Amino acid sequence: MHDDRSLVEARLKRVLDERIRPAVYPESVPLDVAVWNAPGEPVPVAEGLAGATEPIAVGDRWGAPWGTCWFRVSGTVPEAWAGRTVEALLDLGFDENMPGFQCEGLVYRPDGTPVKGLNPRNQWVRVGAPAEGGEEVLLHIEAASNPVILDYHPFLPTQLGDKETAGSEPQYVLARMDLAVFDEHVWNLVQDLEVLGELMQELPVDGARRWDILRAVGRALDAVDLQDVNGTAAAAREQLAGVLATPAQPSAHRISAVGHAHIDSAWLWPLRETVRKVARTTSNMTALLEDEPDFVFAMSQAQQFAWIKEHRPEVYAKVKKAVAEGRFVPSGGMWVESDTNMPGSEAMARQFVHGKRFFLDEFGIENDEAWLPDTFGFAAGLPQIIKAAGSKWLLTQKISWSQTNKFPHHTFQWEGIDGTRIFTHFPPVDTYNCSMKGSEIAHAAKNFKDKGVAQHSLAPTGWGDGGGGTTREMIAKAARMRSLEGSATVTWETPTDFFTKAEAEYPNAPVWVGELYLELHRATLTSQAKTKQGNRRSEHLLREAELWAATAAVRTGADYPYEQLDRIWKTVLLHQFHDILPGSSIAWVHREAEKTYAAVAEELNGIVDTAQRALAGDSTTGETLLFNSAPHARGGVPAGAAAPVTDGGSSRLAPREGGGFVLDNELLRVEIDARGLVVSAYDIAAGRETVAPGQSANLLQIHPDFPNMWDAWDVDAFYRNTVTDLTDLDELTPVEEGGAVSVRIVRSFGASKVTQLLTLAPGVKRLDIDTEADWHETEKFLKAAFPLDIHAERYASETQFGHFYRATHTNTSWEAAKFEACNHRFVHLEEPGWGVALVNDSTYGHDVTRTVRASDAGTTTTVRVSLLRAPRFPDPETDQGVHRFRHALAPGAAIGDAVREGFRINLPERRITGDREVAPLVAVDNDAVVVSAVKLADDASGDLVVRLYESTGGRARVRLTTGFDAAGLVVTDLLERPLADAPVPESGDAGVLLSLRPFELITLRFTRG
């Protein structure tokens, strides 16, 4: 037989495009349309429905950037259409290639009842099935004219990312507003032909199945009368029935489809618009669930449920009903789909606490899975947190975006820093917006790396980001692929159904140890420095507020601000969303974030001040008290206590031969040369030099920074090819104040200026570095380099509840790909018996490299901290302005010293006058054990909750003593619920004895006597 494949395939495409798809709606009449342009921000539904409208016609422009237009559409069903299915076709000017990235709408009935969302791939509203002739139709559309930020030519700088700069030019042209007859026979023929045509393209050319489908498609096209598609669609479908009924092979890959609409809680739109995106999508999905009995939809992010509960209660009522029926599934158990690299220990824990508690309180549902399809890599401390929250599974897809190395598994056990393992799945469909295309389903089956030992994968199915979620077309396609020869099988299932089956079939899944590093989007560790700084400072202020409020409640009977702290935690957690904290959102988002963090700081400082004054007593007769919020003693004051200040000692400053200054406090001697660079940091007791020979530390370096794409997200390896050392000096001035000695250094470069204060305080082996950068560069990357005279094949970066080791070399492509990585408060390098820590108060990105000296083959290691970037997309003014950072170099530091110094720089001393010392509520006798939280229980019972962890990577025996009458003690999960299988700690008059494995976290709940 002659090979006529190309002929039939080309025929199929043209007939579908030009004859069959247009025949889905064979008859239509125009609707009357009027519009009211809402002034300013979105208005309540009742106000939008009552707005004074004026006529508008198809072809007219509408919608200023970030505006809202309320369309009123009306018409009458023709008498001739009685008994037929009638739909309204409402095209606001959509581009079907941009679901989620342009205008959207939510349709209401005249009484304010939401009907469904309008999106580029979902433009219909059912009017009647069957319709009544003469029926009056009246609908209202709340249409958001969100501008297109990520256009066909992506990553171009635009002022559209903030309503303050976006202008008022209309963005869209009204395209179609009709009533139309919907022909279900033709619509089903479209689905049949699309499924078979797409499957055919994926099958081997020399396989019989491909030719069976080809011949059936040819017969179906022969059966279609192109002048009477509607009258011949049923006959055409009969020709396809046989090939659609042939069942899948028993060995076929099995896909669990989960309805999904990944909605970024902010990204190329502000937070307020996400509220509406969620309302539109959930309206779509609850309507679809009513029509499709097999369909299951899952939505993560408790914050998004809370938004529609607050702002769209009429939509929330439908969601709650669907959840109760088990078909609308709250998934993930987190407050938002947060970044997981940068949030601190307690913040990462609270993501699960607040997310899971919301789902429990609202729906009585406990999540077993963490659901993070789009997060930019996963910190090595996360498995323990997932388990401690009472969950056991993780789903993500993002690692498939890695540029260099292909991850070797799709289903595996992920082992964290403490040894906890979490059953993890990466959907091999390689998208979290699956649309049930044959190419996607075939890719999932071919791509699945665990063939032969496992058979199941998951496909999150639906348009995200306001694209409207799953469509009826996707459901129709899935139904045809439930069991179809040549295809993977597709079944709608909940995440729990999938994970239960996948775990049961793969009891010996392979193990991946350590972080899940995304080999992409590395610059998100640096972009939008003020957002990152706001997060870090909020995290530590929350620690202080909980500690001192709890102490005041126990010691003085003061009220504990439960509701206030709960609200603030949720605000901070929201801003850890994976496009806010990483700095990859539009200018509007980060402008609002800066204001929000300032308000959070003011509130938390108020809580701290109120509690400390209640504890300190009379401020007129007392002395100066140091309140120590850190988990280690400081200035003679125990952790979590307040006592009189015992300042003393002094450091010395002298001119340096050849220019510059020498700073000395008998523990550390620091030389700063005439260029203002640190050329020596000598550990006097150890007799060790810190700075690599012939090198200079605290060297500011600037690189060009223009990645190939994803400007705010990416830094590409070639940025290192060009570097400028910033050694020109405007000012070098000695400063002596309060026993400490400092050198002030000012440098200008480009349009920017950096002022640094290098300080050596008495009695500490630490050089403090305060940096103020007035930054006005474009597409540049600013780093500070610290070449260290230390031989290290690996180094430690702090992560949640511990630290993680990375290689300093690039033996493998996996190591080479980690050329920019994340740390929390410190990085630490060591040789046996001596180490160096570099700590910070608000930066995350860094890189570490090794150098071998030509003179003696000695190895040195350079740590560079990332300070600022200046990408122009999506915010063209990223990081412009004044920034302040604090770092410290700690020679001779063991890992425990790095932990202590990291807390010190992030928890500055607070001094107030009072006449009462404050004893700590809890104390531990082992510095390796860090108390990460002291608070009252969230249920307002008055119980005290203490969370602690082993911080050095070793085993620890610790005695915990309480400074209050403890009547009872239980070990709990993160949600402060007793753990049934947890051993009861030894306790007695001398305290509670605990044994912790490396990096183990434990939550204790004390009942107060």
Side-chain angles (χ1 to χ4, degrees):
M1 184 177 289
H2 297 297
D3 185 350
D4 59 352
R5 283 180 306 107
S6 299
L7 191 67
V8 176
E9 290 165 3
R11 181 188 181 195
L12 172 61
K13 182 180 186 308
R14 184 175 186 193
V15 172
L16 259 176
D17 288 346
E18 297 185 23
R19 293 292 187 270
I20 300 178
R21 287 195 186 98
V24 171
Y25 292 103
E27 301 176 57
S28 64
V29 295
L31 289 161
D32 294 324
V33 189
V35 65
W36 175 62
N37 295 298
E41 285 296 277
V43 300
V45 174
E47 186 177 342
L49 296 176
T53 60
E54 56 186 33
I56 187 173
V58 167
D60 288 348
R61 299 186 68 82
W62 70 277
W66 306 113
T68 302
C69 291
W70 283 84
F71 292 99
R72 182 182 185 273
V73 296
S74 58
T76 304
V77 177
E79 294 288 352
W81 293 1
R84 302 170 76 178
T85 299
V86 176
E87 294 181 345
L89 299 181
L90 308 173
D91 185 345
L92 299 174
F94 296 123
D95 179 342
E96 69 171 16
N97 295 315
M98 291 189 176
F101 296 95
Q102 54 171 236
C103 59
E104 301 168 37
L106 181 55
V107 179
Y108 294 89
R109 295 188 178 91
D111 64 358
T113 304
V115 180
K116 66 187 294 286
L118 294 178
N119 315 93
R121 300 291 182 100
N122 203 330
Q123 303 175 20
W124 59 272
V125 175
R126 182 64 55 87
V127 170
E132 296 182 14
E135 178 183 352
E136 296 296 326
V137 177
L138 177 59
L139 298 169
H140 297 264
I141 308 167
E142 180 191 19
S145 50
N146 301 334
V148 175
I149 306 294
L150 192 65
D151 214 332
Y152 285 98
H153 186 167
F155 317 120
L156 290 179
T158 174
Q159 296 296 327
L160 290 171
D162 196 329
K163 64 177 180 179
E164 294 186 353
T165 59
S168 58
E169 186 70 21
Q171 300 289 292
Y172 297 100
V173 176
L174 204 60
R176 185 177 185 182
M177 293 277 150
D178 288 347
L179 282 180
V181 171
F182 174 72
D183 190 325
E184 192 164 356
H185 289 297
V186 177
W187 182 84
N188 274 304
L189 177 59
V190 171
Q191 312 317 312
D192 292 345
L193 289 170
E194 285 190 353
V195 166
L196 291 171
E198 291 165 3
L199 172 61
M200 185 168 57
Q201 295 290 336
E202 302 301 325
L203 295 172
V205 173
D206 57 357
R209 177 62 170 165
R210 179 159 182 165
W211 289 91
D212 287 344
I213 293 173
L214 187 80
R215 295 304 168 214
V217 166
R219 292 192 298 271
L221 296 177
D222 289 341
V224 175
D225 182 343
L226 298 185
Q227 278 65 52
D228 185 16
V229 173
N230 302 89
T232 55
R237 292 195 71 206
E238 289 176 5
Q239 299 299 321
L240 301 174
V243 289
L244 285 168
T246 309
Q249 298 173 348
S251 61
H253 185 66
R254 297 175 184 176
I255 293 177
S256 296
V258 179
H260 187 240
H262 172 77
I263 301 179
D264 288 312
S265 287
W267 180 26
L268 304 181
W269 48 85
L271 289 167
R272 67 89 156 143
E273 191 56 32
T274 313
V275 176
R276 303 202 296 175
K277 285 177 178 281
V278 174
R280 296 173 199 124
T281 299
T282 52
S283 294
N284 267 357
M285 296 302 93
T286 53
L288 197 58
L289 287 167
E290 292 176 2
D291 295 339
E292 302 290 348
D294 293 333
F295 178 50
V296 175
F297 180 77
M299 187 172 96
S300 68
Q301 305 192 70
Q303 172 69 85
Q304 296 188 359
F305 286 84
W307 273 334
I308 53 173
K309 179 182 179 183
E310 178 185 357
H311 297 283
R312 290 288 194 270
E314 67 282 358
V315 177
Y316 191 65
K318 292 185 175 184
V319 169
K320 202 158 188 180
K321 177 177 179 291
V323 171
E325 294 167 351
R327 300 180 59 215
F328 193 119
V329 182
S331 61
M334 295 174 68
W335 190 248
V336 294
E337 290 183 14
S338 73
D339 182 80
T340 74
N341 286 313
M342 290 176 282
S345 304
E346 277 301 312
M348 200 74 253
R350 305 300 174 94
Q351 285 286 353
F352 288 90
V353 169
H354 287 279
K356 296 195 77 168
R357 187 172 289 140
F358 182 91
F359 289 159
L360 282 164
D361 291 346
E362 289 292 314
F363 310 120
I365 287 174
E366 172 110 23
N367 296 93
D368 285 325
E369 78 287 342
W371 184 275
L372 293 165
D374 191 32
T375 298
F376 309 151
F378 301 89
L382 188 57
Q384 179 175 208
I385 297 171
I386 294 172
K387 183 178 179 181
S391 298
K392 57 184 178 181
W393 301 319
L394 169 66
L395 178 135
T396 183
Q397 182 271 324
K398 200 68 173 187
I399 299 299
S400 70
W401 287 40
S402 284
Q403 287 180 315
T404 306
N405 298 286
K406 195 79 171 175
F407 198 81
H409 317 295
H410 280 108
T411 304
F412 59 100
Q413 294 281 357
W414 179 28
E415 182 178 316
I417 56 174
D418 75 310
T420 296
R421 291 182 178 179
I422 294 295
F423 188 79
T424 302
H425 180 65
F426 293 170
V429 71
D430 279 351
T431 177
Y432 43 79
N433 295 309
C434 175
S435 62
M436 285 293 145
K437 285 183 180 178
S439 57
E440 293 171 336
I441 301 305
H443 177 75
K446 295 173 184 175
N447 187 41
F448 187 55
K449 293 192 177 345
D450 303 288
K451 290 187 280 286
V453 286
Q455 202 171 6
H456 286 81
S457 73
L458 186 145
T461 303
W463 301 113
D465 285 331
T470 316
T471 65
R472 62 184 178 184
E473 288 78 15
M474 295 174 194
I475 292 174
K477 286 188 170 186
R480 288 158 173 78
M481 291 184 284
R482 180 181 289 274
S483 181
L484 181 63
E485 184 187 356
S487 170
T489 67
V490 179
T491 307
W492 294 104
E493 293 187 303
T494 67
T496 296
D497 292 336
F498 162 74
F499 274 109
T500 300
K501 292 177 181 178
E503 193 170 32
E505 77 173 0
Y506 208 5
N508 298 311
V511 177
W512 181 270
V513 178
E515 68 181 333
L516 295 171
Y517 180 91
L518 177 63
E519 296 171 353
L520 191 74
H521 292 0
R522 302 167 181 90
T524 58
L525 302 173
T526 305
S527 297
Q528 298 287 1
K530 288 183 179 177
T531 299
K532 292 169 171 57
Q533 193 166 71
N535 173 73
R536 177 76 70 83
R537 292 179 178 174
S538 296
E539 289 179 348
H540 288 83
L541 282 169
L542 277 160
R543 171 195 174 88
E544 290 188 85
E546 288 183 338
L547 169 65
W548 299 119
T551 306
V554 173
R555 295 272 181 259
T556 72
D559 290 336
Y560 188 81
Y562 292 101
E563 293 182 2
Q564 189 179 12
L565 286 170
D566 179 79
R567 173 176 48 78
I568 294 172
W569 262 118
K570 288 173 179 173
T571 298
V572 173
L573 298 177
L574 165 60
H575 286 78
Q576 291 177 340
F577 179 74
H578 66 254
D579 275 308
I580 303 179
L581 179 55
S584 47
S585 288
I586 55 174
W588 189 348
V589 173
H590 293 289
R591 173 172 56 80
E592 287 189 335
E594 185 175 356
K595 293 179 180 177
T596 298
Y597 283 130
V600 162
E602 183 177 7
E603 248 189 299
L604 290 173
N605 278 316
I607 292 172
V608 172
D609 185 67
T610 299
Q612 290 182 344
R613 293 196 179 281
L615 289 163
D618 193 336
S619 62
T620 60
T621 62
E623 54 187 326
T624 300
L625 301 175
L626 187 155
F627 277 78
N628 180 16
S629 303
H632 308 91
R634 179 160 57 186
V637 180
V645 177
T646 55
D647 293 333
S650 62
S651 302
R652 298 184 302 277
L653 183 147
R656 176 180 177 272
E657 185 178 347
F661 301 94
V662 178
L663 288 60
D664 192 318
N665 66 359
E666 299 183 350
L667 297 174
L668 188 63
R669 185 171 64 249
V670 177
E671 294 187 34
I672 299 170
D673 72 5
R675 301 169 299 166
L677 300 177
V678 177
V679 292
S680 174
Y682 189 75
D683 180 347
I684 295 172
R688 281 285 303 254
E689 175 58 62
T690 306
V691 180
Q695 301 295 309
S696 304
N698 191 40
L699 171 65
L700 296 177
Q701 297 180 308
I702 197 164
H703 298 266
D705 184 18
F706 189 64
N708 287 346
M709 56 194 305
W710 298 110
D711 296 39
W713 293 257
D714 282 358
V715 55
D716 289 328
F718 54 73
Y719 89 93
R720 289 180 172 181
N721 297 347
T722 306
V723 59
T724 301
D725 293 343
L726 302 179
T727 57
D728 291 345
L729 198 63
D730 296 353
E731 179 186 334
L732 185 66
T733 307
V735 179
E736 298 189 50
E737 184 178 351
V741 293
S742 307
V743 174
R744 174 182 162 90
I745 303 159
V746 182
R747 303 184 193 280
S748 297
F749 54 93
S752 303
K753 177 181 287 189
V754 172
T755 301
Q756 291 188 301
L757 194 68
L758 275 56
T759 302
L760 187 62
V764 295
K765 197 156 44 172
R766 177 188 72 237
L767 178 66
D768 292 319
I769 304 165
D770 291 83
T771 301
E772 179 183 286
D774 189 4
W775 179 249
H776 298 283
E777 302 307 300
T778 299
E779 294 164 352
K780 295 290 193 294
F781 197 0
L782 181 66
K783 284 180 170 268
F786 295 83
L788 306 174
D789 191 16
I790 196 162
H791 174 94
E793 294 187 359
R794 66 176 191 172
Y795 72 99
S797 294
E798 189 183 33
T799 188
Q800 294 97 4
F801 298 111
H803 55 267
F804 174 70
Y805 287 101
R806 298 186 184 94
T808 61
H809 53 73
T810 55
N811 283 357
T812 70
S813 59
W814 295 87
E815 293 156 352
K818 294 184 180 183
F819 59 81
E820 184 79 4
C822 183
N823 65 279
H824 286 187
R825 287 168 292 227
F826 69 80
V827 294
H828 179 259
L829 301 93
E830 66 177 343
E831 296 174 0
W834 195 81
V836 179
L838 186 61
V839 300
N840 72 84
D841 77 336
S842 57
T843 60
Y844 295 92
H846 68 276
D847 68 83
V848 178
T849 52
R850 300 169 83 245
T851 302
V852 175
R853 297 192 295 264
S855 58
D856 61 0
T859 303
T860 63
T861 310
T862 299
V863 180
R864 299 198 308 161
V865 295
S866 303
L867 298 178
L868 291 165
R869 298 184 69 232
R872 300 191 65 211
F873 182 88
D875 175 5
E877 301 298 323
T878 301
D879 281 336
Q880 301 300 296
V882 176
H883 305 268
R884 294 177 178 84
F885 309 100
R886 299 180 68 220
H887 293 81
L889 181 69
I895 193 70
D897 300 315
V899 174
R900 184 187 66 249
E901 292 297 337
F903 275 105
R904 178 202 62 79
I905 200 171
N906 282 275
L907 290 164
E909 296 176 358
R910 291 182 185 262
R911 302 187 182 201
I912 68 172
T913 303
D915 64 355
R916 288 200 302 261
E917 294 189 26
V918 181
L921 288 182
V922 296
V924 294
D925 66 354
N926 185 339
D927 273 354
V929 176
V930 167
V931 175
S932 67
V934 177
K935 60 190 287 293
L936 294 194
D938 290 342
D939 62 6
S941 62
D943 291 356
L944 188 81
V945 172
V946 179
R947 188 148 36 248
L948 44 82
Y949 68 100
E950 197 289 317
S951 67
T952 67
R955 295 188 179 270
R957 291 275 291 173
V958 63
R959 185 183 305 277
L960 183 148
T961 54
T962 58
F964 61 95
D965 180 15
L969 167 64
V970 293
V971 179
T972 74
D973 65 5
L974 293 179
L975 277 70
E976 301 168 7
R977 304 174 297 189
L979 289 173
D981 57 349
V984 178
E986 302 175 40
S987 60
D989 294 339
V992 179
L993 293 176
L994 299 167
S995 295
L996 279 71
R997 66 177 185 272
F999 300 129
E1000 181 180 8
L1001 73 88
I1002 295 178
T1003 305
L1004 303 174
R1005 180 170 179 153
F1006 293 91
T1007 305
R1008 290 156 54 197

